[in-house]
Amino acid sequence: MRYLYILLAICLATSCALKQKQYSSNPSPSFDHLPQLTYQQMRAEHDTLVSFIKQVSPIIYFNKEVRGIDFSWHAAQLRKQISPKTTMESYLHIIKKTINAAQDGHTSQLNTVLLDIAKQYWIPTGFVSFDSASTENRYKYVKYLKESFYSKADLNLIYTSGAYYNLMPFSYRGKDYPASMKLISCNGKNIHDFVATLTELYSPLRWDRVNNRVYDENFYWPAEIYRQDTLKMTFIDQKNIQHQLNINKNDSVTYSAKKVNDYSYFGQTDTVVTHYFDREGIFYAKLPAMRPELGDTIKKRMEAIFAQHKVNSVVIDIRGNGGGSDNTYNIFLKKLVSDTLKKDVIVARNFSPEIQKKYHINRDSIIKSNDKTFRPGVPQFKSQDMYFIKQSFNFVVPDSIRFPFNGYIYILQDKFIYSSASNLSSLAQNTGQLISIGGTPDLLGGLQANVIIKMLPYSKFIFRVEPQIDFTGIKRLEDVFQNHVEYPVSYSIENLYLRTTTKDIFGKTFLLKNDPMFRKVLELEKKLN
């Protein structure tokens, strides 16, 4: 099914919105056979890019008014870097930095996976306006930017309780570094001030709402921050001893312990994992991605369990789930819920020429509409004219044939959920039967629309922009962030280390003995029943 508000991209497409650093051992591609743009063409094309983002993205206005990130300022400074001597390689970096400055996970360049999807699905169906031949240069652009824009360093940093730590002990150039060191500075600058300067180099930076600042564990990926190819990092260990790490951008460290799990998006490589806990009467399902076939797998395994056992509660574990199709959770939840899961939603889009053309609207059509308005009754951005869509939306409607179940459905989440996975989490705010446990994603959430894809006229560079932002239930503009959790549970550094070095973290034994979120489920079961 296809709805106006929900991003119904397949899981692979969603995963590309999230930073995935990849490298190749092949040399960088040659630009001899690619378009060599003139100075005038670069300037005109950059203007086209900036104008399109300003017209389509409502998120850049949220960033400006709430987070203090001014896209227009960054775009103007980057435009000044285009000169008659600008090479095609330098121009591609300027384009990427400009898109990064929008600071939105769904506003990005199209990488190889999305280009493959475009050729297989979007071009044949007319979802995009370009043809397959136009994408060939883009594959070379992707390869070049992967190899030139990012370093190869991997330090496995984590951000918790407002600070950065290295999770694993490691060695580098003959020196050993212990685990759990606190990072205090980079290149001689306070670490938080340093990360705040990376708007053009890393996107999307996360937002620590407690400390009112941006952060990201992988902030050290951009190659440009390595002065003379070296990044200078200062740590303090648990014994208050200072350690200096000067790492080359093409180097990697050697971990002293074996890393078997990633604490990240799509960190789980297995498919669905399910268990039935006899003593507790709990059915548990680990859903690694929002792919409808995985939702169908969970439904079938539930059928088998409900046919043989009494189920008191259900746990849906979406930790690390980067999203995909909202239909995934609908497939099995409709067999469990006793009432329709619905929300009265208010979403907003820019009232710009590009958006008016895309959605076939004008001022009169909005004024006469029953579900569109210029007066939503919620706080609005001051720097952009917008129109709002207000509707009651049914996410999950109970199936006529349900499982014999009236218990609670617990949603386990961490900060690595996004898109439709975040939508599932938000449903827990509006129904008593669903309960969310864990951590907030720290990325802009809420209901989103299909991204709008654009190809630049001269370089044929392809990018996408998110056209929608969610104003549902807000009291302040800061509330547009949307992501919440009913029962916050955080990982300690020790627990994160255990999750990283233990193979079967979704097995019964680990869940019962070492998983703080699952233990919260057991605690709530005793308290609520």
Side-chain angles (χ1 to χ4, degrees), residues 88-229:
M88 190 62 182
E89 293 89 337
S90 296
Y91 177 64
L92 288 176
H93 277 241
I94 291 171
I95 291 295
K96 184 169 179 64
K97 289 178 181 179
T98 303
I99 295 172
N100 283 347
Q103 282 298 312
D104 171 52
H106 278 156
T107 298
S108 62
Q109 68 177 59
L110 259 65
N111 66 13
T112 300
V113 175
L114 281 180
L115 288 170
D116 289 344
I117 292 172
K119 292 178 72 172
Q120 186 173 358
Y121 300 106
W122 297 343
I123 292 173
T125 60
F127 182 71
V128 295
S129 59
F130 48 82
D131 56 28
S132 295
S134 303
T135 67
E136 295 311 308
N137 287 340
R138 182 71 191 108
Y139 281 94
K140 296 179 181 178
Y141 295 160
V142 169
K143 179 177 174 59
Y144 170 74
L145 287 170
K146 281 180 181 178
E147 296 176 356
S148 65
F149 203 83
Y150 300 107
S151 69
K152 291 182 170 60
D154 181 13
L155 300 175
N156 201 28
L157 298 182
I158 59 165
Y159 182 90
T160 183
S161 302
Y164 295 89
Y165 299 87
N166 70 302
L167 184 57
M168 305 279 285
F170 64 87
S171 62
Y172 179 69
R173 294 190 175 181
K175 182 178 178 180
D176 294 330
Y177 296 83
S180 304
M181 297 185 297
K182 181 179 179 180
L183 179 60
I184 59 174
S185 70
C186 268
N187 288 343
K189 198 168 190 175
N190 173 277
I191 181 58
H192 305 297
D193 295 336
F194 180 80
V195 174
T197 67
L198 305 180
T199 300
E200 297 172 6
L201 296 177
Y202 194 98
S203 177
L205 290 166
R206 296 177 177 274
W207 186 252
D208 179 347
R209 282 170 279 180
V210 174
N211 294 291
N212 201 36
R213 63 188 175 214
V214 295
Y215 79 93
D216 201 282
E217 285 97 339
N218 300 318
F219 71 86
Y220 56 89
W221 280 0
E224 193 170 306
I225 67 177
Y226 289 74
R227 299 175 180 175
Q228 288 80 47
D229 292 338

Side-chain angles (χ1 to χ4, degrees), residues 299-411:
K299 184 191 76 169
K300 291 177 180 177
R301 294 187 186 180
M302 280 184 177
E303 288 175 340
I305 293 298
F306 274 91
Q308 301 179 41
H309 303 279
K310 175 177 173 54
V311 178
N312 298 321
S313 59
V314 171
V315 175
I316 305 300
D317 191 341
I318 58 172
R319 285 176 284 187
N321 188 321
S325 170
D326 288 85
N327 188 46
T328 304
Y329 57 80
N330 181 67
I331 290 172
F332 57 83
L333 280 185
K334 67 183 181 182
K335 293 286 189 178
L336 295 171
V337 297
S338 54
D339 297 308
T340 297
L341 304 185
K342 60 185 179 180
K343 290 175 67 177
D344 293 327
V345 301
I346 303 176
V347 297
R349 295 172 181 162
N350 295 343
F351 188 65
S352 66
E354 193 72 46
I355 291 295
Q356 291 177 51
K357 177 182 177 182
K358 169 70 178 178
Y359 295 108
H360 309 289
I361 59 166
N362 57 36
R363 188 168 295 277
D364 286 341
S365 70
I366 291 174
I367 292 174
K368 296 176 182 178
S369 172
N370 292 324
D371 60 2
K372 299 180 183 68
T373 181
F374 291 112
R375 298 180 179 180
V378 296
Q380 301 183 44
F381 298 145
K382 298 177 181 178
S383 53
Q384 176 65 11
D385 289 332
M386 309 187 78
Y387 74 98
F388 298 79
I389 306 170
K390 303 176 69 174
Q391 287 185 351
S392 179
F393 186 80
N394 293 338
F395 282 85
V396 180
V397 178
D399 197 294
S400 57
I401 302 176
R402 296 176 53 243
F403 296 139
F405 178 75
N406 291 300
Y408 290 107
I409 303 167
Y410 298 96
I411 309 298

